[in-house]
Amino acid sequence: MATKTWKIEKDLCRCCHGEGAFNNLAEPRTFLDKVEVYSDMLRECLDIDIPPVPGELCAITYTICNACIARLRDACNFKKQVQDCEQRFMTLYYKNAIQGLKPATKVKEEIEVSIEHAQSDTDADIVLKKEDEDDDDDNHFLGGDDDDGMSDDDLPIKPPKQSVSTMKTRPKPKPKPKAPPVVKKLKPPPKPKKAEPKPAKEKKGEEKEEFTLTAEADGTEKFTCKACGKSFNLKPLFIQHYRHVHLKLRPKLRGCHLCSDKVPSHLRTFHMEKCHGQPAPSCGACGKKFAYPARLLQHQKFYHMGESDYRCEPCNLKFKSRSKYKYHLVKHGDVKAYKCELCDKSFKWKSGLNCHMLIHKNIRRHVCHICQESFVQHTSLKYHLTKKHPEAI
């Protein structure tokens, strides 16, 4: 059997085998402020893994045309729409929030129709007998046949006389007397209920004061939860513990389309890699893995390519996000926007004002693990350790 040679002059679309100038399947591209990686979209939406081939054909055969991109994008959007609708439907269903409308039954008004009862067979026989008797009486008075030779059949036929009883009409019903109007008694107005005080909602930042900060012998800090006694090395870990366990503010779980597990959105890619073998977005330079392709692109631009949209001109520092850049700019300014209401001190950052207010409230969160003396600021605790307990440092 003769083999056919396939000569590729331009890029080859791996989805429709069209040739032209196409986009790479693994290269992130932005569409409507969203980063798209077409190889990941094929894997997640259609469960199709298209691997690149090694050698010279790798670059020109690992592309996709615009027509296939549009169809792939529609498929991904439709899949997301179905998943969102199904999740919302099941949530409302289990909450008994879906009800069917019962069809309204229409009651038709009955129309009164007067029906004349037909004569029974016995009544008809009685009428015929009476007519025969009348005919006999007529023949008796006539005295047989006349001289003209006219017989009884030649006489005109008289219509039978209807009895008075059969001509009676149905009497009209008498109108019913109208009932006197019912006077409704007005109910006394209900007594106003006493407004019960609503329970105060916990503010978002209240978890900051729900721990005890202690310093270990090696200088490390311990954040101990006042509610359950658990200790954490980092403050963000304590905040996450307090919000999830004690405030019940757990992140919403998202169901996996391949199994029955439910995981948070930021852990979905790692679940797909661990349980179903679908690799998570990872950096080719350092191997770091990310939950979203956009985070991977941001990481590559900032750490490996040196690109940043936020650069401080006085000190020539670059920042990854706009919030960190704005927080840094306050350092160069002389404006202290946060002022204390109890004294004349002012601060550049809000965190400085919050820490200063603890002095007025006499809230001492930092406790020495040796002599149990407490301090408002962490720097005061460090100074105390260097002066009073230098052997513990």
Side-chain angles (χ1 to χ4, degrees):
M1 182 177 179
T3 58
K4 185 178 179 181
T5 304
W6 190 2
K7 295 182 180 180
I8 300 176
E9 299 178 358
K10 301 179 180 180
D11 296 339
L12 175 69
C13 176
R14 291 288 288 271
C15 297
C16 67
H17 287 182
E19 294 186 22
F22 302 143
N23 300 325
N24 191 282
L25 281 167
E27 182 180 358
R29 291 187 173 272
T30 305
F31 178 76
L32 295 178
D33 296 335
K34 292 183 180 180
V35 180
E36 298 177 339
V37 181
Y38 305 120
S39 59
D40 295 344
M41 293 169 65
L42 286 169
R43 190 181 302 109
E44 295 176 3
C45 181
L46 304 178
D47 199 12
I48 298 175
D49 191 7
I50 299 181
V53 295
E56 298 178 355
L57 297 177
C58 178
I60 63 174
T61 61
Y62 200 61
T63 58
I64 183 173
C65 65
N66 293 330
C68 293
I69 289 173
R71 298 181 67 181
L72 176 61
R73 192 178 291 128
D74 291 341
C76 293
N77 292 335
F78 179 70
K79 179 181 179 180
K80 183 180 179 182
Q81 170 190 328
V82 174
Q83 290 176 343
D84 294 344
C85 290
E86 183 64 16
Q87 182 180 2
R88 183 171 178 268
F89 173 80
M90 295 308 296
T91 303
L92 295 175
Y93 174 77
Y94 286 119
K95 290 182 179 179
N96 293 329
I98 302 177
Q99 297 179 357
L101 296 177
K102 297 181 180 180
T105 56
K106 296 182 179 179
V107 181
K108 295 183 179 180
E109 297 180 355
E110 295 184 0
I111 302 174
E112 292 186 0
V113 181
S114 59
I115 302 173
E116 295 183 0
H117 296 281
Q119 294 179 353
S120 61
D121 296 339
T122 55
D123 296 338
D125 295 340
I126 294 171
V127 174
L128 291 174
K129 286 180 181 180
K130 287 183 179 180
E131 290 179 356
D132 294 340
E133 292 175 358
D134 295 339
D135 294 341
D136 294 340
D137 294 338
D138 294 339
N139 293 334
H140 175 72
F141 286 111
L142 289 174
D145 295 339
D146 293 336
D147 296 336
D148 298 336
M150 294 179 63
S151 62
D152 295 337
D153 298 335
D154 295 333
L155 296 175
I157 299 174
K158 297 180 181 180
K161 296 180 180 179
Q162 295 182 354
S163 61
V164 180
S165 62
T166 58
M167 295 296 291
K168 289 182 180 180
T169 58
R170 186 176 179 180
K172 295 182 179 179
K174 295 181 180 180
K176 295 180 180 180
K178 293 183 179 180
V182 179
V183 180
K184 293 183 179 180
K185 296 182 179 180
L186 297 177
K187 295 182 179 180
K191 297 181 180 179
K193 296 181 179 180
K194 295 182 179 179
E196 298 180 356
K198 295 183 179 179
K201 295 183 179 179
E202 296 182 348
K203 296 182 180 179
K204 187 176 181 181
E206 283 189 358
E207 63 266 17
K208 296 180 181 179
E209 301 178 0
E210 294 295 334
F211 65 88
T212 303
L213 181 61
T214 56
E216 299 294 331
D218 56 353
T220 58
E221 297 178 343
K222 285 287 184 181
F223 298 87
T224 306
C225 180
K226 294 181 181 179
C228 61
K230 285 188 177 181
S231 299
F232 302 91
N233 295 329
L234 299 175
K235 188 176 179 180
L237 295 178
F238 162 75
I239 294 176
Q240 180 181 358
H241 157 78
Y242 188 80
R243 289 173 62 82
H244 291 182
V245 177
H246 301 294
L247 297 183
K248 305 298 181 183
L249 299 176
R250 297 182 180 273
K252 293 183 179 180
L253 300 180
R254 182 180 177 187
C256 178
H257 66 283
L258 297 179
C259 64
S260 59
D261 292 347
K262 292 185 177 181
V263 294
S265 298
H266 66 281
L267 298 178
R268 183 175 180 274
T269 53
F270 304 108
H271 163 77
M272 298 298 293
E273 182 179 28
K274 181 179 179 181
C275 299
H276 305 293
Q278 297 184 7
S282 59
C283 178
C286 61
K288 189 177 180 180
K289 296 182 179 181
F290 299 87
Y292 305 101
R295 298 283 178 86
L296 170 61
L297 184 62
Q298 185 182 17
H299 162 81
Q300 290 175 341
K301 284 184 177 181
F302 183 76
Y303 289 101
H304 300 296
M305 302 173 66
E307 297 181 7
S308 177
D309 296 333
Y310 308 102
R311 186 176 65 87
C312 179
E313 294 182 358
C315 57
N316 202 23
L317 287 177
K318 295 181 180 179
F319 298 91
K320 186 167 58 174
S321 61
R322 185 168 176 264
S323 59
K324 293 183 177 180
Y325 170 67
K326 281 194 168 184
Y327 185 82
H328 170 78
L329 286 180
V330 180
K331 180 180 180 180
H332 299 289
D334 297 330
V335 179
K336 297 182 178 181
Y338 301 96
K339 296 181 180 180
C340 178
E341 297 178 354
L342 303 177
C343 61
D344 296 333
K345 286 189 176 182
S346 57
F347 303 88
K348 290 184 179 181
W349 292 282
K350 190 176 181 180
S351 59
L353 175 61
N354 293 336
C355 184
H356 169 76
M357 292 302 296
L358 297 177
I359 299 175
H360 293 294
K361 296 178 182 178
N362 197 22
I363 299 176
R364 301 175 178 270
R365 301 179 299 175
H366 306 276
V367 182
C368 177
H369 67 284
I370 298 175
C371 62
Q372 302 302 320
E373 189 175 355
S374 57
F375 303 90
V376 177
Q377 298 179 352
H378 179 59
T379 54
S380 301
L381 174 61
K382 280 189 174 182
Y383 181 78
H384 166 79
L385 289 173
T386 56
K387 292 295 183 181
K388 300 294 183 180
H389 314 288
E391 68 279 358
I393 299 177

